[in-house]
Amino acid sequence: MSLKYFVYVGAVNNLSDARYCSAMMVDVIGFDVNEFSLKCLNEEQIKEISTWINGVEITGDFENSSKEHICKFINKNHFSSVMIDIKNHHLLDNLDIDNVIIKVYDKQYDEDFLSSILDNHENLIKLLVFESFNNSKYEFIKSLNNNLKILVKPLPSLLDTKKMLDKYNLGLYLNGSDEIRPGYKDYDSLSEILEDIEDSF
């Protein structure tokens, strides 16, 4: 079993989501390590969850966390990459990691600003996650770096989502969700989307 598209499931804060995503063979699982999140995982939880999953890249979803918080975690955990909010771009020269995912919100999106960041850190930034997406964004990003992988959130319709991913050769960004109680999860839209984009369908 495999998925038709590159899939990154972020903000994962429990073992149930992590094991499910690993079994579904998503490409990247992002642990919720944002210091401002009420569900921020600690080092012990990360270690425990990591022992139950395999075959997937693990990243730390830091969003707008401080440099001190990020450095504390990446010094103690073996993340293959980190995800930060584009507002934290000033940290790119100060993080001891060579694989970064940048998350871009619409209100932060400015072509000159983004172009400058990508030019200065071309070999460091591997993925861009957009909160929303359109054709002009795609053409602009590809004009800057044709090898940069672009991930987007799903549209309200699964059919429209797949059409968009196919047309632009995009990856998909999904969010994990909270456990109702330990060991019990209602996956709803996450499982609906992942099962719909299995290659066997």
Side-chain angles (χ1 to χ4, degrees), residues 110-129:
D110 174 89
E111 290 192 356
D112 291 336
F113 174 54
L114 187 54
S115 177
S116 174
I117 293 172
L118 294 177
D119 284 344
N120 292 331
H121 304 284
E122 181 178 0
N123 296 322
L124 184 63
I125 300 171
K126 308 300 182 183
L127 299 172
L128 279 180
V129 177

Side-chain angles (χ1 to χ4, degrees), residues 25 58 61 64 67 98 132:
M25 298 182 68
I58 297 175
D61 282 1
N64 59 337
K67 175 186 173 183
D98 57 6
S132 63

Side-chain angles (χ1 to χ4, degrees), residues 13-62:
N13 61 36
N14 57 80
L15 177 59
S16 297
D17 264 355
R19 292 185 69 179
Y20 177 74
C21 292
S22 177
M24 292 298 291
M25 298 182 68
V26 306
D27 296 275
V28 182
I29 293 175
F31 287 156
D32 183 353
V33 285
N34 181 355
E35 69 179 309
F36 302 109
S37 168
L38 296 176
K39 299 293 183 177
C40 178
L41 299 173
N42 59 43
E43 290 91 345
E44 194 60 37
Q45 290 171 313
I46 292 170
K47 182 179 179 180
E48 180 181 357
I49 294 173
S50 297
T51 62
W52 286 92
I53 59 178
N54 57 68
V56 61
E57 179 180 332
I58 297 175
T59 190
D61 282 1
F62 290 100

Side-chain angles (χ1 to χ4, degrees), residues 59-125:
T59 190
D61 282 1
F62 290 100
E63 297 264 349
N64 59 337
S65 300
S66 66
K67 175 186 173 183
E68 292 73 23
H69 177 81
I70 296 174
C71 289
K72 179 186 73 172
F73 268 87
I74 63 177
N75 288 335
K76 296 181 179 179
N77 300 279
H78 298 289
F79 295 130
S80 56
S81 59
V82 300
M83 189 272 281
I84 62 173
D85 190 306
I86 196 170
K87 290 187 296 185
N88 258 358
H89 68 94
H90 58 280
L91 299 180
L92 291 173
D93 292 319
N94 301 300
L95 295 177
D96 186 22
I97 197 162
D98 57 6
N99 191 348
V100 176
I101 302 164
I102 297 291
K103 194 170 189 179
V104 184
Y105 295 91
D106 277 354
K107 62 183 179 181
Q108 304 166 334
Y109 181 73
D110 174 89
E111 290 192 356
D112 291 336
F113 174 54
L114 187 54
S115 177
S116 174
I117 293 172
L118 294 177
D119 284 344
N120 292 331
H121 304 284
E122 181 178 0
N123 296 322
L124 184 63
I125 300 171

